[in-house]
Amino acid sequence: MWYKKSIEEITKEFATDVINGLTSEEASVRIKKYGENKLIEKKKKSILKLLLEQVNDVLIYILVAAAVVSAALGEISDAIIIMVVVVLNAVIGLIQESKAEKALDSLKKLSVPKALVKRNGEVIEISSENIVVGDIIILDAGKYVPCDLRLVETGNLKIEESALTGESVPSDKYVEDILEDQDIALGDQKNMAFMSTLATYGRGIGVAVATGMNTEIGKIAKMLDNDEKNLTPLQRKLGQLGKMLGFVVIIICVLMFITSLIQKRDLFEMFLTAISLAVAAIPEGLPAMVTIVLAVGVQRMIGKNAIIRKLPAIETLGSVNIICSDKTGTLTQNKMTVTKFYADNILNNISAVDLKNNIHKELVENMVLCNDATYSESSKTGDPTEIALLEMGVKFNVFKSDENKEHSRVNEIPFDSDRKLMTTLNKYGNKYRIITKGAVDNLIKICENIYLKGEAVPFTEELKSNVLNAANSMSNEALRVLSVAFKVIDSPKIQIDSMESGLTFVGLVGMIDPPRENVKKSIDECKKSGIGVVMITGDHKNTAFAIAKELGIADHESQAILGAEFDKLSEKDIHDRIDNLKVFARVSPEHKVNIVKALKKKGNIVSMTGDGVNDAPSLKTADIGVAMGITGTDVAKGAADMVLTDDNFSTIVEAVKQGRNIYNNIRKSIVFLLSCNIGEIIALFMAIVLGWPTILRPIHLLWVNLITDSLPALALGVDPDDPDIMKEKPRDPRKGLFSGKSGVFLVVNGILIGVLTLAAFYIGTKLYANSLIHAQTMAFVVLSVSQLFYTLSIRHHEKSMFEVGIFSNKYLIGAIVVGIIMQSIVITVPFLSSVFKVFKLTINDWIFVLALSLVPLLVNEIIKLAYRKSVRNIA
Ligand code: ADP
Ligand code: MG
């Protein structure tokens, strides 16, 4: 048991070195020997199992039954065709499902967490899977523990171990040996950290003692079976719609059957017709189609640096109308450089630092010592703010030396975004020194003195206001301002509570963090498309407003507010002012939750970004929680709906764009599928009501269903992005799928297709009075081809098909061509035409049916033209 062993025993046993870590050679030897550090996933479903799942469906049972009945009655060709349809359906379903599965799998791979390890004497970031036993692992707040560790150094480390012990209160960790004879429970092994638990506070370093399946979690995990399907709201709605439709169709089928009983039709024929109609009209392919379109969309988004963690997010993204964004790193580059400093009552450029002036020396040295980042030529890790400070140290030859014995860190209070301060206790000569750095407004509250002209003098109100003035003048130039203070003590034994008090103020530094390229453009785009942008930052109000102004987020100071001020506003004030507030400064995580709530209360669909441990609640409260992929903690990523791999604001806007397009595409497919189904129902039902002979044989229906429901519907689902999508206002999520134009499209086209099919048949019987088959064939062709043509018009609800570009969706063109070819093969190849009981149409017939089939397309285009005219007249 590792917890019983001392640190020396552990390092000896794993042949490692706490200061330098393993060498990369040794690590690659070990990874070959022990394997990757990951939990073994559950076995994939076999093809056979997937196939069985496809076939396991009521409609399929009905079809198989129909085939058996047909065969029993001697209708062998019908039976064969029905079985072919069953098999093809299963195969298409299988391909769709496995494609969706693959897409989701590759998503999982992307979310493998990273870990900080020491290798070859340097701290580097590697993928957790590459950790081997003996690695020295660095933990900090917000990180998942990547493997089992024996801790060798802790700084107020707290770990939440509920994944393992069920206990959700984080437990304190320390490094002392535990000298127990009896075995103790995992929760009591305070000098250990276990894989999959979560560091919530402080820092720690540990030796990897077990990886992968050898870890404690590995022993109990048969890999948490996450098999539950995560359906999106749309998918759920469609499921209901499908059920309702199924119900309606069955009623219609029964009605048809009864009517034909009264009309004394051939019962077997009617039985097959009813079944075929049910099969054709129930959109059984819909859920798979939606999944596949979503999955393809998710794949496209990865290419644009957005990882969707929860499928429903894609739909919601399309209706986002407020994007709340962190400033640092998301709107800005997070590449900080110290440009100014203030010390000894003078504000100056950083190049004016003179180490001979003791106050300047204190400023640089303390900023470097009270610092968690690491800096070497080849590798920089940590918070960019702190890296900038180390860079400043390197510039003035003040090196970070807290890892040396001389200035080693003895204790610390980690940075947190509520206090906006961090404190370290370092050895300093034969004394000790407490250094606190952070936000100047908070720091001056805990300072007693200020360092001026080589000595500490009382920090009077006047001197404080000098400091604040200097800070303001830096932040008005959009600089990020950081202050530092210290005190000297004799013994490291000091209560944590009394560390941050009675300090001596040293000075300020100001650093620039330029806006990211493209962000201004994205913000413009948001404005045009009815999306509001709100800046949320822990930074100084003036700094925030200066940058917001530069980016076009805000133009008047009244649009900026402090987090604490906002918290004090009354309900009514919030209601009145929230629409006008664009910059929230000095925000702490719980303010963020309130901001999101206030925005949501006004009916907005809100996206909120976050990176820290404490950001999880606001990410969960937002409609779309967005976590930073680079600087974000594992906790924030775990709570988010979407992770940005480049931490870039523009990526959020890009994702919204994709979300809108994907939703539109799904809607197009559904409108297409349903209008076709309505057409089929109308045609068959009306024919019976009118007392006509059978206008379509059952297998015709099945066939039409096969060539229209599969390829064209999918092709519509992956329609290329509409370049003008951001000229539209966000979609109101409370409105249904078929509200507005979509509903009209649906009904009008359903009726058109049905009536045209009837017309083709009617004219056929007039032309060829003695040949029912001839008329049926004409109806058959019109039904399938009119659906195929009509897809071209459905691609945009306003633009003409030429504006959209007839050939811009090559899949759709392919689907139409394949459909028409298959349709003509069935009719012209003698063997097939006898199986399908169709007539070889004459050239004139073809011209006639093709012309009829073009009608829905033309009608739609004319309606759109009229619409565009009327809009332009109004405008
Ligand atoms: P944001 O990411 O929105 O800029 P942060 O919470 O990172 O906000 O920073 C808020 C404030 O906290 C900064 O203005 C700065 O004063 C202080 N601060 C930031 N990082 C550190 C740090 N590493 N150590 C001490 N103080 C910090
Ligand atoms: Mg930050």
Side-chain angles (χ1 to χ4, degrees):
M1 283 289 96
W2 311 117
Y3 65 91
K4 287 183 184 165
K5 301 203 170 166
S6 70
I7 295 172
E8 287 69 40
E9 284 170 314
I10 293 278
T11 46
K12 207 161 148 208
E13 185 156 346
F14 289 100
T16 187
D17 169 11
V18 173
I19 303 293
N20 294 311
L22 299 173
T23 61
S24 26
E25 293 79 41
E26 180 60 23
S28 56
V29 170
R30 289 190 191 185
I31 197 132
K32 283 198 198 94
K33 201 156 141 201
Y34 301 106
E36 286 191 330
N37 173 39
K38 60 180 180 194
L39 301 176
I40 308 233
E41 307 228 0
K42 70 171 180 336
K43 277 238 278 302
K44 289 261 151 56
K45 282 186 194 153
S46 66
I47 298 266
L48 190 68
K49 181 129 187 268
L50 283 175
L51 198 64
L52 281 179
E53 273 179 14
Q54 286 300 320
V55 180
N56 185 8
D57 183 292
V58 182
L59 285 177
I60 299 281
Y61 292 153
I62 297 178
L63 273 180
V64 172
V68 172
V69 174
S70 310
L73 292 177
E75 296 281 347
I76 302 296
S77 61
D78 278 8
I80 292 174
I81 292 194
I82 294 175
M83 285 317 289
V84 168
V85 166
V86 168
V87 170
L88 280 181
N89 252 328
V91 169
I92 291 171
L94 185 69
I95 295 173
Q96 289 188 337
E97 288 268 327
S98 67
K99 219 179 151 164
E101 183 105 342
K102 249 191 220 137
L104 296 178
D105 260 4
S106 54
L107 272 191
K108 260 191 224 146
K109 289 219 181 73
L110 278 169
S111 49
V112 173
K114 300 259 192 286
L116 282 180
V117 303
K118 283 192 192 170
R119 292 257 176 100
N120 311 317
E122 264 183 30
V123 176
I124 56 168
E125 188 172 64
I126 62 172
S127 161
S128 300
E129 291 182 345
N130 296 329
I131 290 175
V132 294
V133 286
D135 263 330
I136 307 298
I137 312 284
I138 295 165
L139 295 179
D140 51 25
K143 262 204 166 16
Y144 279 110
V145 178
C147 61
D148 286 359
L149 303 172
R150 167 68 162 92
L151 296 166
V152 297
E153 191 183 315
T154 56
N156 296 310
L157 180 64
K158 287 190 198 250
I159 295 187
E160 198 257 290
E161 297 182 318
S162 61
L164 209 55
T165 62
E167 172 59 58
S168 61
V169 179
S171 66
D172 290 306
K173 292 290 179 178
Y174 46 74
V175 299
E176 280 75 26
D177 301 348
I178 297 175
L179 304 168
E180 289 267 348
D181 284 335
Q182 271 136 4
D183 284 354
I184 57 175
L186 293 180
D188 296 325
Q189 299 180 14
K190 301 284 192 185
N191 58 14
M192 295 284 296
F194 300 103
M195 184 169 186
S196 294
T197 60
L198 186 65
T200 55
Y201 193 79
R203 279 178 340 112
I205 297 179
V207 181
V209 293
T211 59
M213 293 308 278
N214 296 325
T215 58
E216 294 299 331
I217 192 101
K219 285 180 202 158
I220 57 170
K222 286 179 216 75
M223 191 55 197
L224 320 148
D225 226 326
N226 278 332
D227 212 18
E228 66 193 85
K229 281 223 169 106
N230 196 357
L231 288 184
T232 76
L234 182 64
Q235 282 175 317
R236 241 176 278 135
K237 258 189 252 163
L238 286 178
Q240 286 160 3
L241 183 81
K243 279 208 191 94
M244 206 186 72
L245 230 104
F247 197 66
V248 172
V249 169
I250 288 168
I251 290 180
I252 293 179
C253 289
V254 171
L255 276 181
M256 268 170 50
F257 201 70
I258 295 172
T259 322
S260 5
L261 261 180
I262 299 168
Q263 296 175 345
K264 301 211 169 40
R265 288 175 189 253
D266 175 13
L267 277 192
F268 169 66
E269 174 91 27
M270 276 328 293
F271 163 73
L272 275 192
T273 304
I275 287 181
S276 313
L277 184 63
V279 170
I282 293 174
E284 75 282 0
L286 212 68
M289 189 277 299
V290 173
T291 309
I292 223 172
V293 171
L294 288 176
V296 170
V298 167
Q299 285 289 330
R300 278 196 203 166
M301 286 197 183
I302 293 172
K304 301 189 168 168
N305 300 320
I307 298 176
I308 300 294
R309 293 193 60 254
K310 297 171 189 157
L311 225 44
I314 302 185
E315 286 165 46
T316 319
L317 266 173
S319 51
V320 162
N321 72 332
I322 302 243
I323 302 178
C324 298
S325 171
D326 277 342
K327 170 181 71 70
T328 312
T330 311
L331 293 167
T332 66
Q333 298 179 5
N334 219 0
K335 288 208 187 82
M336 316 237 193
T337 319
V338 178
T339 55
K340 296 226 160 142
F341 77 104
Y342 169 86
D344 213 1
N345 213 6
I346 289 171
L347 176 62
N348 212 331
N349 288 333
I350 193 69
S351 52
V353 163
D354 175 10
L355 291 188
K356 280 188 232 98
N357 179 333
N358 201 38
I359 304 184
H360 292 191
K361 180 161 168 277
E362 288 288 355
L363 181 71
V364 179
E365 209 174 88
N366 287 319
M367 289 285 191
V368 167
L369 280 182
C370 179
N371 197 312
D372 287 330
T374 64
Y375 186 100
S376 73
E377 284 292 321
S378 55
S379 131
K380 297 166 197 162
T381 62
D383 182 349
T385 308
E386 301 203 319
I387 294 175
L389 296 174
L390 293 186
E391 235 154 14
M392 167 182 76
V394 168
K395 190 166 154 192
F396 297 109
N397 285 317
V398 177
F399 296 114
K400 183 172 186 184
S401 48
D402 73 328
E403 271 144 26
N404 306 344
K405 290 268 149 29
E406 194 189 347
H407 291 146
S408 62
R409 190 185 289 186
V410 192
N411 204 343
E412 69 195 62
I413 306 175
F415 175 75
D416 82 60
S417 37
D418 280 313
R419 297 180 307 132
K420 300 184 170 47
L421 296 174
M422 78 172 265
T423 299
T424 61
L425 170 53
N426 294 61
K427 198 158 176 291
Y428 204 91
N430 47 20
K431 296 218 168 186
Y432 292 85
R433 184 178 261 242
I434 287 171
I435 310 169
T436 303
K437 80 170 192 310
V440 60
D441 29 359
N442 292 349
L443 186 65
I444 55 176
K445 290 185 198 146
I446 52 173
C447 287
E448 221 160 67
N449 299 311
I450 179 170
Y451 216 168
L452 283 179
K453 310 251 172 306
E455 57 180 338
V457 298
F459 206 1
T460 60
E461 289 307 315
E462 192 194 338
L463 291 173
K464 280 185 185 171
S465 78
N466 287 352
V467 169
L468 289 177
N469 285 342
N472 276 339
S473 96
M474 284 195 215
S475 45
N476 284 339
E477 292 172 43
L479 296 183
R480 183 175 174 84
V481 182
L482 218 63
S483 58
V484 75
F486 74 100
K487 70 178 169 189
V488 177
I489 53 176
D490 294 327
S491 144
K493 293 209 170 48
I494 175 169
Q495 293 280 319
I496 289 270
D497 298 342
S498 48
M499 275 168 68
E500 289 179 352
S501 67
L503 304 172
T504 300
F505 191 88
V506 181
L508 309 169
V509 295
M511 41 188 105
I512 50 160
D513 180 16
R516 280 175 178 269
E517 276 170 50
N518 283 332
V519 158
K520 204 166 156 50
K521 212 177 103 227
S522 303
I523 289 173
D524 277 350
E525 202 169 40
C526 284
K527 282 187 181 160
K528 286 194 190 112
S529 64
I531 298 175
V533 180
V534 171
M535 176 191 275
I536 309 268
T537 179
D539 221 336
H540 210 279
K541 185 161 144 186
N542 299 28
T543 312
F545 178 70
I547 295 178
K549 195 163 177 188
E550 194 179 329
L551 289 173
I553 293 177
D555 34 44
H556 194 268
E557 261 171 80
S558 67
Q559 293 173 308
I561 189 169
L562 292 175
E565 269 169 31
F566 179 74
D567 242 17
K568 287 201 199 97
L569 293 184
S570 68
E571 273 295 291
K572 185 177 174 303
D573 283 345
I574 291 181
H575 182 88
D576 294 344
R577 288 188 61 189
I578 188 89
D579 295 332
N580 189 41
L581 292 174
K582 298 293 172 206
V583 178
F584 292 82
R586 282 291 189 244
V587 166
S588 55
E590 74 260 25
H591 299 148
K592 273 179 147 178
V593 179
N594 294 339
I595 296 168
V596 172
K597 282 190 181 151
L599 286 168
K600 278 178 80 168
K601 211 167 170 188
K602 282 214 139 179
N604 295 304
I605 306 295
V606 184
S607 138
M608 169 63 88
T609 61
D611 50 10
V613 199
N614 305 332
D615 283 335
S618 57
L619 294 185
K620 286 207 175 118
T621 312
D623 297 289
I624 295 284
V626 182
M628 301 300 138
I630 304 170
T631 57
T633 55
D634 294 341
V635 189
K637 289 181 199 164
D641 302 291
M642 175 165 97
V643 177
L644 307 178
T645 55
D646 60 354
D647 290 10
N648 191 340
F649 174 82
S650 303
T651 304
I652 307 177
V653 181
E654 198 56 48
V656 169
K657 219 187 270 182
Q658 289 288 320
R660 290 182 175 196
N661 274 314
I662 291 170
Y663 189 88
N664 275 356
N665 284 350
I666 290 179
R667 179 159 61 190
K668 288 184 238 170
S669 298
I670 296 173
V671 166
F672 168 68
L673 284 176
L674 294 189
S675 53
C676 295
N677 289 350
I678 292 179
E680 286 159 16
I681 293 174
I682 288 180
L684 265 91
F685 191 60
M686 287 309 293
I688 287 181
V689 171
L690 294 170
W692 290 5
T694 322
I695 66 163
L696 285 167
R697 296 182 53 79
I699 48 175
H700 297 164
L701 269 179
L702 291 178
W703 176 256
V704 172
N705 186 44
L706 198 67
I707 57 174
T708 58
D709 272 17
S710 52
L711 293 180
L714 254 183
L716 280 175
V718 294
D719 215 15
D721 295 348
D722 173 9
D724 295 324
I725 193 92
M726 292 306 261
K727 287 187 186 150
E728 290 168 24
K729 299 283 167 257
R731 167 176 60 86
D732 182 346
R734 281 158 301 196
K735 289 216 179 120
L737 197 58
F738 307 120
S739 67
K741 291 181 200 122
S742 305
V744 179
F745 259 96
L746 184 76
V747 175
V748 167
N749 288 294
I751 295 174
L752 262 180
I753 292 172
V755 168
L756 286 168
T757 308
L758 286 167
F761 180 80
Y762 183 76
I763 294 167
T765 52
K766 291 286 155 222
L767 288 177
Y768 310 102
N770 53 355
S771 167
L772 178 61
I773 256 196
H774 203 142
Q776 282 177 340
T777 308
M778 286 167 66
F780 181 29
V781 175
V782 168
L783 181 60
S784 66
V785 178
S786 63
Q787 297 187 11
L788 291 173
F789 282 159
Y790 149 65
T791 51
L792 284 175
S793 184
I794 216 172
R795 291 177 60 200
H796 202 281
H797 57 90
E798 282 175 18
K799 292 186 195 169
S800 79
M801 62 184 199
F802 304 105
E803 254 178 281
V804 175
I806 295 188
F807 297 104
S808 60
N809 183 346
K810 52 183 190 300
Y811 299 110
L812 186 60
I813 295 298
I816 295 173
V817 170
V818 167
I820 293 178
I821 289 177
M822 298 221 312
Q823 184 67 26
S824 28
I825 287 179
V826 161
I827 289 173
T828 45
V829 174
F831 164 69
L832 287 174
S833 63
S834 68
V835 173
F836 275 84
K837 302 210 173 63
V838 285
F839 190 85
K840 192 159 175 244
L841 297 181
T842 65
I843 293 290
N844 281 342
D845 292 339
W846 272 110
I847 294 175
F848 173 66
V849 291
L850 289 180
L852 266 192
S853 303
L854 279 171
V855 172
L857 175 68
L858 294 178
V859 169
N860 280 301
E861 290 299 318
I862 291 168
I863 294 176
K864 288 196 281 185
L865 184 71
Y867 176 80
R868 289 195 300 272
K869 278 248 162 77
S870 74
V871 170
R872 252 168 242 156
N873 282 348
I874 293 165

